Amino acid sequence: MICVNELSQLKCHHRAILEPLAIIVSPYAPHIAEELWSALGHEGSIATVPFPIFEPKYLVESEKEYPVSFNGKMRFTLKLPLDLSKEQIQEIVMADERTIAQLAGNTPKNIIIVPGKIINLVG
């Protein structure tokens, strides 16, 4: 469903994407998959079509949307590359205008950064 929602937002109409998606969905929703297969212009059953080849390179995530919290309350999110160090993340967060507005001139007592998870500023 996540994939379908994202493809809907992108207004994707490419057969190269929709056909493998219908094949992958077919074991879970066989009736709608058959209808989709027919709507895509194919004859015969989708059950006889081979599954797409798995390629792990398409599943590698390169960035993460970090929730940025102040005293444990999430205020905004920040999309950052996953290969950044804690120090680099801290520099980016402290330079963000939303962080500056939240701190209102104060200096945080502690900055908790868990790479790939969360950023929390305690003040």
Side-chain angles (χ1 to χ4, degrees):
M1 289 309 298
I2 293 169
C3 178
V4 171
N5 291 337
E6 287 188 17
L7 290 174
S8 296
Q9 289 176 354
L10 296 172
K11 295 181 177 37
C12 177
H13 302 289
H14 301 288
R15 290 180 84 80
I17 295 171
L18 298 177
E19 287 179 354
L21 179 62
I23 295 168
I24 291 171
V25 169
S26 67
Y28 305 104
H31 300 289
I32 191 70
E34 288 289 347
E35 292 293 328
L36 291 171
W37 194 246
S38 175
L40 286 168
H42 295 283
E43 293 183 13
S45 176
I46 195 170
T48 60
V49 178
F51 257 56
I53 297 171
F54 173 71
E55 295 186 36
K57 67 180 180 182
Y58 294 121
L59 298 178
V60 177
E61 291 189 46
S62 60
E63 59 185 16
K64 165 80 173 147
E65 193 165 345
Y66 286 92
V68 180
S69 303
F70 294 86
N71 296 322
K73 294 183 181 180
M74 204 267 298
R75 300 297 179 189
F76 61 90
T77 59
L78 191 62
K79 192 173 275 196
L80 298 172
L82 280 173
D83 59 351
L84 294 177
S85 68
K86 285 184 178 183
E87 293 78 21
Q88 291 171 321
I89 294 171
Q90 182 174 339
E91 286 177 24
I92 293 169
V93 170
M94 294 306 290
D96 192 278
E97 67 271 357
R98 296 172 289 186
T99 301
I100 295 167
Q102 282 290 328
L103 291 175
N106 298 326
T107 305
K109 293 178 185 174
N110 193 7
I111 301 173
I112 301 166
I113 298 173
V114 180
K117 298 282 183 188
I118 191 167
I119 301 166
N120 189 20
L121 290 96
V122 181

